[in-house]
Amino acid sequence: MNNAIYMDNNATTRVADEVVAAMLPYLNERYGNPSSMHTFGGDVAHDIARAREQVATLLGCHPEEIIFTSCGTESDNAAIKGTLTMFPEKRKVVTTRVEHPAVLTTCRDLERHGYSVSEIGVDRAGRLDIDQLGFRVDDNTAIVSVMWANNETGTIFSVDEIAELVKARGAVFHTDAVQVVGKIPLNLRDSNIDLLSLSGHKLHAPKGVGVLYVRKGTRIGTFMHGGHQESGRRGGTENVPGIIALGKACELAMRHLDEENTRVKALRDRLEQGILSTCPDCFVNGDVDNRLPNTANISFEYIEGESILMMLNKFGVCASSGSACTSGSLEPSHVLRAMGVPFTAAHGSIRFSLSRFNTEAEVDFVIEKIGPIINRLRELSPFVPKAAAR
Ligand code: PLP
């Protein structure tokens, strides 16, 4: 077994033991094709129906509104492109500058194909100006896609309010809820959200399974032509073990929602406070009053996030940085840049994202190690101004 201190749960999560146990029989015992006429396959179709109900219960919607996909990225692509095919006369998409690349690069590709894309900015705390968004939604707008919570900072957007506004202007509203499912309570029945994406591997199910929620009556084109699976909207033989796993993970998430917002949140706060009080010249990124309970994004001045990560890694601590290493050049996070975080501070940012599998002892271990790491890196940094050198 590995003994990593895993604090990178917004990247992916450990598959829960109960989830592994639930999915295993579908690899070697219950391997029938759910479309088959015989009972061996029919039983599996029945089990998929149960998984669909488990997902719907967590989202607060009807099981028929759940379409299983392969991941969050597929769901995001399907939502946007599937909507555009149904409204060929509308040529505009509205989104935000801080979306995940699954949405942003999809929109930028659409721009290359003649669509107009409006990207709404955020303020220094990562908050969205909803009035500004409202101004951009016009008769030509087919779909508005706004994430529910940001994967880097954890900042939560008021998607219910946005959905209402978008509906009033006659466009379809999609939200990328990949980071919120299982972390905050959801009730889609009481909202105006038309389409919602989620991803199994962010909530203790395995990689390779996701969901697109499609509100009853929402017009969306077929996004995978083939068989009749998923009401004909997404053909292809189902990823049965993945779907069963996701159902189980949703059932568990429902049970652990309170814990996410109490124990996990308290661990995150302890970690954040511990770091802020140990390390000078660092600050939290994001809307601290309106954040996912598990996420802390902290900028450390004068040093590179990558260097901090490497030193944490030596102690078995896994987190992630606000930079993406692309072909040798370190680009600071588009999210932090959109928020106006100065270039150097964006470079020195680290995201810690916790889960119910973290412990207080792990948090205290990180707090103990980080001070000396930051001091050591600053001693080596040419960017520390003399007044700040300690
Ligand atoms: N949307 C958000 C907000 C995410 O954080 C991620 C993954 O990090 C995705 C979409 C993509 O999900 P997947 O990895 O399942 O394709």
Side-chain angles (χ1 to χ4, degrees), residues 270-284:
R270 183 182 179 95
L271 177 69
E272 201 167 82
Q273 286 313 313
I275 292 175
L276 293 179
S277 59
T278 315
C279 305
D281 301 316
C282 64
F283 58 86
V284 174

Side-chain angles (χ1 to χ4, degrees), residues 18-37:
E18 299 92 323
V19 170
V20 175
M23 73 186 285
L24 280 182
Y26 295 85
L27 294 171
N28 56 7
E29 290 166 20
R30 298 170 77 83
Y31 55 83
N33 186 326
S35 300
S36 296
M37 292 299 286

Side-chain angles (χ1 to χ4, degrees), residues 10-11 71-73 76 100 102 147 149 151 176 178-179 199 201-202:
N10 288 10
C71 60
T73 301
D76 285 343
H100 186 273
M147 68 199 328
N151 44 304
D176 175 338
V178 164
Q179 292 294 344
S199 173
H201 74 103
K202 309 289 183 175

Side-chain angles (χ1 to χ4, degrees), residues 7 152-154 264-279 282-289 291-300 350-352 354 363-364 366-367 370:
M7 296 192 176
E152 294 189 26
T153 63
V264 176
K265 183 173 185 295
L267 286 180
R268 188 276 311 272
D269 291 345
R270 183 182 179 95
L271 177 69
E272 201 167 82
Q273 286 313 313
I275 292 175
L276 293 179
S277 59
T278 315
C279 305
C282 64
F283 58 86
V284 174
N285 293 305
D287 183 357
V288 289
D289 299 321
R291 250 189 321 168
L292 292 175
N294 77 321
T295 308
N297 186 312
I298 302 176
S299 273
F300 298 86
I350 298 288
R351 177 189 70 188
F352 297 93
L354 277 53
V363 165
D364 291 347
V366 175
I367 296 170
I370 198 136

Side-chain angles (χ1 to χ4, degrees), residues 68 164 166 180 232 264 361:
F68 290 111
E164 209 175 315
V166 171
V180 301
V264 176

